[in-house]
mmCIF file of all heavy atoms in Angstrom:
data_model
loop_
_atom_site.group_PDB
_atom_site.id
_atom_site.type_symbol
_atom_site.label_atom_id
_atom_site.label_comp_id
_atom_site.label_asym_id
_atom_site.label_seq_id
_atom_site.Cartn_x
_atom_site.Cartn_y
_atom_site.Cartn_z
ATOM 1 N N GLY A 10 -3.264 24.035 10.582
ATOM 2 C CA GLY A 10 -4.553 24.711 11.032
ATOM 3 C C GLY A 10 -5.629 23.916 10.716
ATOM 4 O O GLY A 10 -5.766 22.616 11.121
ATOM 5 N N GLY A 11 -6.727 24.473 10.149
ATOM 6 C CA GLY A 11 -7.991 24.000 9.952
ATOM 7 C C GLY A 11 -7.826 22.629 9.185
ATOM 8 O O GLY A 11 -8.821 21.672 9.256
ATOM 9 N N GLY A 12 -7.039 22.515 8.190
ATOM 10 C CA GLY A 12 -6.839 21.195 7.452
ATOM 11 C C GLY A 12 -8.090 20.962 6.534
ATOM 12 O O GLY A 12 -8.282 19.829 6.275
ATOM 13 N N SER A 13 -8.610 22.002 5.980
ATOM 14 C CA SER A 13 -9.725 21.684 4.942
ATOM 15 C C SER A 13 -9.197 21.029 3.708
ATOM 16 O O SER A 13 -9.862 20.191 3.114
ATOM 17 C CB SER A 13 -10.599 22.914 4.534
ATOM 18 O OG SER A 13 -9.707 23.895 3.783
ATOM 19 N N ASN A 14 -8.041 21.331 3.297
ATOM 20 C CA ASN A 14 -7.442 20.582 2.223
ATOM 21 C C ASN A 14 -7.118 19.060 2.510
ATOM 22 O O ASN A 14 -7.494 18.215 1.648
ATOM 23 C CB ASN A 14 -6.166 21.322 1.592
ATOM 24 C CG ASN A 14 -6.338 22.412 0.777
ATOM 25 O OD1 ASN A 14 -6.917 22.220 -0.450
ATOM 26 N ND2 ASN A 14 -6.151 23.716 1.221
ATOM 27 N N MET A 15 -6.599 18.960 3.707
ATOM 28 C CA MET A 15 -6.382 17.461 4.200
ATOM 29 C C MET A 15 -7.752 16.840 4.248
ATOM 30 O O MET A 15 -7.858 15.631 3.682
ATOM 31 C CB MET A 15 -5.803 17.661 5.618
ATOM 32 C CG MET A 15 -5.604 16.313 6.317
ATOM 33 S SD MET A 15 -7.093 15.740 7.122
ATOM 34 C CE MET A 15 -7.245 17.125 8.404
ATOM 35 N N ALA A 91 -0.295 20.643 3.429
ATOM 36 C CA ALA A 91 -1.668 21.214 3.141
ATOM 37 C C ALA A 91 -1.836 22.338 4.323
ATOM 38 O O ALA A 91 -2.330 22.006 5.475
ATOM 39 C CB ALA A 91 -2.687 20.015 3.443
ATOM 40 N N GLY A 92 -1.409 23.499 3.950
ATOM 41 C CA GLY A 92 -1.613 24.471 4.936
ATOM 42 C C GLY A 92 -0.513 24.414 6.038
ATOM 43 O O GLY A 92 -0.700 24.659 7.291
ATOM 44 N N PHE A 93 0.602 23.810 5.658
ATOM 45 C CA PHE A 93 1.716 23.573 6.670
ATOM 46 C C PHE A 93 2.523 24.818 6.603
ATOM 47 O O PHE A 93 3.359 25.130 5.663
ATOM 48 C CB PHE A 93 2.451 22.236 6.316
ATOM 49 C CG PHE A 93 3.567 21.936 7.362
ATOM 50 C CD1 PHE A 93 3.099 21.577 8.624
ATOM 51 C CD2 PHE A 93 4.855 22.086 7.047
ATOM 52 C CE1 PHE A 93 4.102 21.104 9.517
ATOM 53 C CE2 PHE A 93 5.870 21.701 8.008
ATOM 54 C CZ PHE A 93 5.442 21.287 9.293
ATOM 55 N N MET A 94 2.504 25.662 7.617
ATOM 56 C CA MET A 94 3.020 26.971 7.653
ATOM 57 C C MET A 94 4.416 27.117 8.195
ATOM 58 O O MET A 94 4.635 27.859 9.241
ATOM 59 C CB MET A 94 2.096 28.031 8.346
ATOM 60 C CG MET A 94 0.683 28.017 7.740
ATOM 61 S SD MET A 94 0.609 28.232 5.880
ATOM 62 C CE MET A 94 0.673 29.990 5.784
ATOM 63 N N ASN A 111 3.170 20.745 -2.516
ATOM 64 C CA ASN A 111 2.515 21.732 -1.709
ATOM 65 C C ASN A 111 1.405 22.464 -2.548
ATOM 66 O O ASN A 111 1.404 22.312 -3.716
ATOM 67 C CB ASN A 111 3.619 22.766 -1.352
ATOM 68 C CG ASN A 111 3.042 23.991 -0.575
ATOM 69 O OD1 ASN A 111 2.406 23.884 0.468
ATOM 70 N ND2 ASN A 111 3.367 25.271 -1.000
ATOM 71 N N ILE A 112 0.419 22.998 -1.769
ATOM 72 C CA ILE A 112 -0.615 23.786 -2.352
ATOM 73 C C ILE A 112 -0.466 25.291 -1.844
ATOM 74 O O ILE A 112 -0.260 25.447 -0.706
ATOM 75 C CB ILE A 112 -1.947 23.384 -2.254
ATOM 76 C CG1 ILE A 112 -2.996 24.088 -3.251
ATOM 77 C CG2 ILE A 112 -2.550 23.460 -0.800
ATOM 78 C CD1 ILE A 112 -4.166 23.362 -3.552
ATOM 79 N N HIS A 113 -0.416 26.227 -2.923
ATOM 80 C CA HIS A 113 -0.236 27.621 -2.483
ATOM 81 C C HIS A 113 -1.317 28.377 -3.032
ATOM 82 O O HIS A 113 -1.674 28.252 -4.127
ATOM 83 C CB HIS A 113 1.158 28.098 -3.087
ATOM 84 C CG HIS A 113 1.485 29.483 -2.818
ATOM 85 N ND1 HIS A 113 2.030 29.869 -1.541
ATOM 86 C CD2 HIS A 113 1.308 30.736 -3.579
ATOM 87 C CE1 HIS A 113 2.069 31.272 -1.588
ATOM 88 N NE2 HIS A 113 1.767 31.722 -2.750
ATOM 89 N N PRO A 114 -1.802 29.396 -2.180
ATOM 90 C CA PRO A 114 -2.996 30.125 -2.686
ATOM 91 C C PRO A 114 -2.776 31.219 -3.500
ATOM 92 O O PRO A 114 -3.159 32.398 -3.280
ATOM 93 C CB PRO A 114 -3.672 30.511 -1.354
ATOM 94 C CG PRO A 114 -2.461 30.790 -0.385
ATOM 95 C CD PRO A 114 -1.447 29.759 -0.808
ATOM 96 N N GLY A 122 4.805 33.466 -1.008
ATOM 97 C CA GLY A 122 4.828 33.927 0.480
ATOM 98 C C GLY A 122 3.418 34.119 0.959
ATOM 99 O O GLY A 122 2.513 33.414 0.565
ATOM 100 N N LEU A 123 3.198 35.095 1.858
ATOM 101 C CA LEU A 123 2.018 35.271 2.556
ATOM 102 C C LEU A 123 0.987 36.354 2.036
ATOM 103 O O LEU A 123 1.418 37.081 1.128
ATOM 104 C CB LEU A 123 2.375 35.617 4.085
ATOM 105 C CG LEU A 123 3.219 34.503 4.782
ATOM 106 C CD1 LEU A 123 3.651 35.002 6.174
ATOM 107 C CD2 LEU A 123 2.453 33.324 4.930
ATOM 108 N N ASP A 149 8.063 28.123 -2.527
ATOM 109 C CA ASP A 149 7.029 28.343 -3.517
ATOM 110 C C ASP A 149 7.536 28.468 -4.976
ATOM 111 O O ASP A 149 6.924 29.222 -5.813
ATOM 112 C CB ASP A 149 6.153 29.699 -3.212
ATOM 113 C CG ASP A 149 5.530 29.591 -1.934
ATOM 114 O OD1 ASP A 149 5.263 28.472 -1.346
ATOM 115 O OD2 ASP A 149 5.378 30.644 -1.306
ATOM 116 N N LEU A 175 -10.226 28.585 -2.084
ATOM 117 C CA LEU A 175 -10.142 27.299 -1.324
ATOM 118 C C LEU A 175 -11.032 26.285 -1.717
ATOM 119 O O LEU A 175 -10.651 25.226 -1.862
ATOM 120 C CB LEU A 175 -10.535 27.657 0.177
ATOM 121 C CG LEU A 175 -10.113 26.667 1.202
ATOM 122 C CD1 LEU A 175 -8.565 26.408 1.280
ATOM 123 C CD2 LEU A 175 -10.547 27.125 2.645
ATOM 124 N N GLU A 178 -9.099 24.736 -4.383
ATOM 125 C CA GLU A 178 -7.993 23.848 -3.793
ATOM 126 C C GLU A 178 -8.462 22.610 -3.520
ATOM 127 O O GLU A 178 -7.819 21.628 -3.931
ATOM 128 C CB GLU A 178 -7.528 24.657 -2.655
ATOM 129 C CG GLU A 178 -6.756 26.048 -2.877
ATOM 130 C CD GLU A 178 -6.177 26.512 -1.642
ATOM 131 O OE1 GLU A 178 -5.587 25.870 -0.735
ATOM 132 O OE2 GLU A 178 -6.188 27.808 -1.431
ATOM 133 N N HIS A 179 -9.665 22.559 -2.952
ATOM 134 C CA HIS A 179 -10.306 21.213 -2.582
ATOM 135 C C HIS A 179 -10.447 20.262 -3.789
ATOM 136 O O HIS A 179 -10.655 19.077 -3.524
ATOM 137 C CB HIS A 179 -11.539 21.340 -1.709
ATOM 138 C CG HIS A 179 -11.393 22.161 -0.456
ATOM 139 N ND1 HIS A 179 -12.311 22.705 0.238
ATOM 140 C CD2 HIS A 179 -10.198 22.427 0.110
ATOM 141 C CE1 HIS A 179 -11.954 23.339 1.224
ATOM 142 N NE2 HIS A 179 -10.452 23.218 1.331
HETATM 143 C C1 GAR B 201 -4.743 27.122 2.027
HETATM 144 O O1 GAR B 201 -5.347 28.213 1.302
HETATM 145 C C2 GAR B 201 -3.466 26.801 1.488
HETATM 146 O O2 GAR B 201 -3.216 27.103 0.128
HETATM 147 C C3 GAR B 201 -2.661 27.790 2.202
HETATM 148 O O3 GAR B 201 -3.132 27.717 3.536
HETATM 149 C C4 GAR B 201 -4.576 27.335 3.533
HETATM 150 C C5 GAR B 201 -4.680 26.302 4.332
HETATM 151 O O4 GAR B 201 -5.998 25.895 4.470
HETATM 152 N N1 GAR B 201 -1.191 27.485 2.212
HETATM 153 C C6 GAR B 201 -0.267 28.289 2.244
HETATM 154 O O5 GAR B 201 -0.314 29.473 2.237
HETATM 155 C C7 GAR B 201 1.231 27.677 2.187
HETATM 156 N N2 GAR B 201 2.019 28.808 1.929
HETATM 157 P P1 GAR B 201 -6.547 24.513 5.137
HETATM 158 O O6 GAR B 201 -5.838 24.417 6.381
HETATM 159 O O7 GAR B 201 -7.981 24.683 5.388
HETATM 160 O O8 GAR B 201 -6.245 23.508 4.214
#
Side-chain angles (χ1 to χ4, degrees):
S13 70
N14 276 292
M15 174 276 296
F93 186 66
M94 305 307 275
N111 180 44
I112 191 156
H113 180 77
L123 298 174
D149 298 332
L175 200 57
E178 294 185 35
H179 296 164

